[in-house]
Amino acid sequence: VAKLCVCDLLVAQCDVNCCCDPDCSAADFSLFTTCSVPIVTGDNRLCSQKAAIYSLDVEANPPERIFKLIDQVNPSVFCIHATNYKQAVSFSSPEMPTSENFDRLLKQFGSASFSAEPDSWNMNTDAQNPSDANETYRYEYGVPIQTVDAFLRLPSPVVSSWCSDANPAGFLVNQATKCIRSVSVEKCGNVQAVSMLFYINSSILAVPKSSQMVNITVQSIAVQSLNGMRTLLNGSDVLRLPMILDELCINIVLGVSYHITYTDAGEIIEAAASFALGAINKEALSIQQRFEISFTQVNTKPVPLSGNPGYVVGLPIRAGFRPQGYPFPVEILFAPINTNKYSQLTILQSTSNQDCLAAQGARTPILFGYNMISGCKLRITAAMKCQPLTQTLLDLLKGQSFPEYVASFGNSQAQDVLDWVPVTHFHTSEQRIYNTFQSSCQIPVSLEIEVKWTKYGSLVNPQARIVNVTAAITTATLKQLPSGRERTIPITSSVVFTDISSPAEPGYKAWPTINAKLPFDFFFPFV
């Protein structure tokens, strides 16, 4: 618990009033006014566990942080004495039914009851090593990726803009950093951090504390000239080390992009690195390096996330549609829509000339938390036909294929159907009347999208979750316009985000009294 810190949100930076943030120094603590997280514990269902207590000594000059590690006893009679069945501590995604495995899964789980009991139980809890009780043999979110010698490095700036190699890459934490590295032509061969070998010479452990290793392969190499032009090399199996050539130091690392492939059980199975190499002359005293890391689950298509788990303000809303023939095949559930390769909810993009017919096909993604409005002007003549114009405006407002579902979380997976919210459609009619056609014609003039979201989870670190999405099309009536006359009408699209989170009830008790009888298997499979 001394390593847990739920308020540590900024990478390699001190979070204000976060007393458990390892990036904070004594000078930072002296400026704190309170500890936002005064106590950190593990699983509150355990009978006995460690607890980290944080507080501030305001009487000291300057104020200091006080840290204590105590043994906390659960006063409840119903508590877990020991987690002697490790498979029950974590959750692996169940096998999804397909047309190939449906009969086998039906035979295995289709009866009235089936056994989930493991082959062997370790009931000798007294002989169990306390240090191994909570040990996991899989990677979890945020856990540093271990290598043979230490951990996978992702250099980043710490206090200043200079690179620090002490920043570990966290599992499932997509990061992008840039920093300054001191290097010169005379010493470029002696600086390890500008060599490709520094980033691929240590194998990654497939799971923490295991002997199974995954080598880092070179996926691609791009060479950058002094004027900034990059060339992608055909072969990536050649190790290019820094060397001095004609008063230049070539093959120095300007950027590294890691890509990690993992399983749903938290095991790393592949690791690849893409390099950007460059050269410096004698006048250069430093270089700027860029580093990135991304993760993809095996047998899935990489789709950019918009949060983990809750949405992050400013990132696109993920959307898609349910294909025909569901539940088979599951692999294409919520596939990307035709005009949007990243499966995002979009609206009409405004253009400089404000011509609706010229703006057809131009879309912009809807960013979470940003109220948006866009539009254009439609020039109508008496020669225009009603039906084609109506369809053109619908395609303009909604796009070629408007998504049917929106992801409730920023990391919702396609196979988790309950994590997707259906889009509700409404149609309203305006009282505006435009004299255009010989007979009345109803045309869509605006699309209004409302996204309702709520704060989900802990009050300390709430996650944004979308609970409802509505799309309202407003139509207007057009009537006859004299021959040779023209009229211009506005077409608009808008998005509004509404927070429907309920405030905390006054007088809430931390330990409510419950008078209930628990079922006999309530703590299965724990003791």
mmCIF file of all heavy atoms in Angstrom, residues 217-234:
data_model
loop_
_atom_site.group_PDB
_atom_site.id
_atom_site.type_symbol
_atom_site.label_atom_id
_atom_site.label_comp_id
_atom_site.label_asym_id
_atom_site.label_seq_id
_atom_site.Cartn_x
_atom_site.Cartn_y
_atom_site.Cartn_z
ATOM 1 N N THR A 217 11.959 -6.426 -30.805
ATOM 2 C CA THR A 217 12.366 -6.454 -32.206
ATOM 3 C C THR A 217 12.290 -5.053 -32.806
ATOM 4 O O THR A 217 11.507 -4.216 -32.354
ATOM 5 C CB THR A 217 11.466 -7.399 -33.007
ATOM 6 O OG1 THR A 217 10.103 -6.953 -32.921
ATOM 7 C CG2 THR A 217 11.558 -8.821 -32.462
ATOM 8 N N VAL A 218 13.107 -4.827 -33.824
ATOM 9 C CA VAL A 218 13.112 -3.546 -34.518
ATOM 10 C C VAL A 218 12.083 -3.601 -35.643
ATOM 11 O O VAL A 218 12.205 -4.411 -36.569
ATOM 12 C CB VAL A 218 14.499 -3.211 -35.071
ATOM 13 C CG1 VAL A 218 14.473 -1.878 -35.809
ATOM 14 C CG2 VAL A 218 15.524 -3.168 -33.945
ATOM 15 N N GLN A 219 11.056 -2.766 -35.557
ATOM 16 C CA GLN A 219 9.980 -2.782 -36.537
ATOM 17 C C GLN A 219 10.310 -1.937 -37.758
ATOM 18 O O GLN A 219 10.040 -2.338 -38.886
ATOM 19 C CB GLN A 219 8.689 -2.295 -35.886
ATOM 20 C CG GLN A 219 7.439 -2.506 -36.722
ATOM 21 C CD GLN A 219 6.186 -2.150 -35.954
ATOM 22 O OE1 GLN A 219 6.149 -1.177 -35.202
ATOM 23 N NE2 GLN A 219 5.129 -2.943 -36.117
ATOM 24 N N SER A 220 10.876 -0.762 -37.551
ATOM 25 C CA SER A 220 11.216 0.119 -38.667
ATOM 26 C C SER A 220 12.299 1.089 -38.226
ATOM 27 O O SER A 220 12.458 1.371 -37.027
ATOM 28 C CB SER A 220 9.985 0.880 -39.179
ATOM 29 O OG SER A 220 9.488 1.748 -38.175
ATOM 30 N N ILE A 221 13.023 1.624 -39.223
ATOM 31 C CA ILE A 221 14.065 2.621 -38.978
ATOM 32 C C ILE A 221 13.892 3.726 -40.006
ATOM 33 O O ILE A 221 13.848 3.468 -41.208
ATOM 34 C CB ILE A 221 15.480 2.022 -39.072
ATOM 35 C CG1 ILE A 221 15.672 0.909 -38.034
ATOM 36 C CG2 ILE A 221 16.530 3.109 -38.882
ATOM 37 C CD1 ILE A 221 17.020 0.220 -38.131
ATOM 38 N N ALA A 222 13.775 4.952 -39.517
ATOM 39 C CA ALA A 222 13.706 6.126 -40.394
ATOM 40 C C ALA A 222 14.925 6.999 -40.114
ATOM 41 O O ALA A 222 15.264 7.247 -38.958
ATOM 42 C CB ALA A 222 12.421 6.912 -40.161
ATOM 43 N N VAL A 223 15.572 7.444 -41.169
ATOM 44 C CA VAL A 223 16.777 8.264 -41.051
ATOM 45 C C VAL A 223 16.424 9.701 -41.418
ATOM 46 O O VAL A 223 15.813 9.954 -42.463
ATOM 47 C CB VAL A 223 17.906 7.733 -41.957
ATOM 48 C CG1 VAL A 223 19.121 8.636 -41.874
ATOM 49 C CG2 VAL A 223 18.267 6.310 -41.564
ATOM 50 N N GLN A 224 16.788 10.634 -40.544
ATOM 51 C CA GLN A 224 16.495 12.053 -40.748
ATOM 52 C C GLN A 224 17.775 12.797 -41.103
ATOM 53 O O GLN A 224 18.794 12.664 -40.418
ATOM 54 C CB GLN A 224 15.869 12.649 -39.488
ATOM 55 C CG GLN A 224 15.555 14.125 -39.581
ATOM 56 C CD GLN A 224 14.832 14.644 -38.366
ATOM 57 O OE1 GLN A 224 13.810 14.090 -37.966
ATOM 58 N NE2 GLN A 224 15.345 15.694 -37.748
ATOM 59 N N SER A 225 17.704 13.588 -42.171
ATOM 60 C CA SER A 225 18.853 14.377 -42.593
ATOM 61 C C SER A 225 18.950 15.647 -41.759
ATOM 62 O O SER A 225 18.078 15.949 -40.947
ATOM 63 C CB SER A 225 18.734 14.720 -44.079
ATOM 64 O OG SER A 225 17.572 15.494 -44.309
ATOM 65 N N LEU A 226 20.004 16.427 -41.981
ATOM 66 C CA LEU A 226 20.208 17.649 -41.219
ATOM 67 C C LEU A 226 19.115 18.686 -41.494
ATOM 68 O O LEU A 226 18.810 19.515 -40.637
ATOM 69 C CB LEU A 226 21.585 18.243 -41.528
ATOM 70 C CG LEU A 226 22.780 17.465 -40.967
ATOM 71 C CD1 LEU A 226 24.082 18.098 -41.432
ATOM 72 C CD2 LEU A 226 22.733 17.407 -39.445
ATOM 73 N N ASN A 227 18.513 18.647 -42.681
ATOM 74 C CA ASN A 227 17.451 19.610 -43.002
ATOM 75 C C ASN A 227 16.064 19.131 -42.578
ATOM 76 O O ASN A 227 15.061 19.785 -42.869
ATOM 77 C CB ASN A 227 17.457 19.935 -44.498
ATOM 78 C CG ASN A 227 17.235 18.690 -45.356
ATOM 79 O OD1 ASN A 227 16.953 17.610 -44.828
ATOM 80 N ND2 ASN A 227 17.378 18.835 -46.669
ATOM 81 N N GLY A 228 15.978 17.984 -41.897
ATOM 82 C CA GLY A 228 14.713 17.512 -41.362
ATOM 83 C C GLY A 228 13.973 16.509 -42.211
ATOM 84 O O GLY A 228 12.928 16.008 -41.799
ATOM 85 N N MET A 229 14.455 16.157 -43.395
ATOM 86 C CA MET A 229 13.774 15.199 -44.263
ATOM 87 C C MET A 229 14.056 13.772 -43.778
ATOM 88 O O MET A 229 15.197 13.417 -43.488
ATOM 89 C CB MET A 229 14.249 15.360 -45.708
ATOM 90 C CG MET A 229 13.547 14.422 -46.685
ATOM 91 S SD MET A 229 14.072 14.719 -48.384
ATOM 92 C CE MET A 229 13.440 16.373 -48.631
ATOM 93 N N ARG A 230 12.984 12.960 -43.701
ATOM 94 C CA ARG A 230 13.109 11.587 -43.209
ATOM 95 C C ARG A 230 12.933 10.594 -44.349
ATOM 96 O O ARG A 230 12.088 10.788 -45.223
ATOM 97 C CB ARG A 230 12.082 11.298 -42.115
ATOM 98 C CG ARG A 230 12.379 12.005 -40.804
ATOM 99 C CD ARG A 230 11.561 11.450 -39.672
ATOM 100 N NE ARG A 230 11.891 12.085 -38.404
ATOM 101 C CZ ARG A 230 11.402 11.721 -37.225
ATOM 102 N NH1 ARG A 230 10.533 10.706 -37.161
ATOM 103 N NH2 ARG A 230 11.763 12.338 -36.117
ATOM 104 N N THR A 231 13.722 9.512 -44.284
ATOM 105 C CA THR A 231 13.672 8.435 -45.270
ATOM 106 C C THR A 231 13.529 7.118 -44.535
ATOM 107 O O THR A 231 14.318 6.818 -43.626
ATOM 108 C CB THR A 231 14.934 8.419 -46.142
ATOM 109 O OG1 THR A 231 15.097 9.693 -46.756
ATOM 110 C CG2 THR A 231 14.835 7.340 -47.207
ATOM 111 N N LEU A 232 12.519 6.327 -44.913
ATOM 112 C CA LEU A 232 12.292 5.025 -44.288
ATOM 113 C C LEU A 232 13.177 3.980 -44.955
ATOM 114 O O LEU A 232 13.144 3.810 -46.174
ATOM 115 C CB LEU A 232 10.823 4.625 -44.411
ATOM 116 C CG LEU A 232 10.403 3.345 -43.683
ATOM 117 C CD1 LEU A 232 10.560 3.492 -42.176
ATOM 118 C CD2 LEU A 232 8.958 2.984 -44.026
ATOM 119 N N LEU A 233 13.986 3.283 -44.153
ATOM 120 C CA LEU A 233 14.892 2.269 -44.687
ATOM 121 C C LEU A 233 14.123 0.998 -45.013
ATOM 122 O O LEU A 233 13.142 0.648 -44.347
ATOM 123 C CB LEU A 233 16.005 1.974 -43.684
ATOM 124 C CG LEU A 233 16.888 3.166 -43.268
ATOM 125 C CD1 LEU A 233 17.970 2.700 -42.304
ATOM 126 C CD2 LEU A 233 17.501 3.818 -44.492
ATOM 127 N N ASN A 234 14.590 0.298 -46.034
ATOM 128 C CA ASN A 234 13.924 -0.940 -46.446
ATOM 129 C C ASN A 234 14.133 -2.054 -45.427
ATOM 130 O O ASN A 234 13.211 -2.781 -45.088
ATOM 131 C CB ASN A 234 14.437 -1.377 -47.821
ATOM 132 C CG ASN A 234 14.026 -0.405 -48.913
ATOM 133 O OD1 ASN A 234 12.957 0.199 -48.830
ATOM 134 N ND2 ASN A 234 14.871 -0.233 -49.925
#
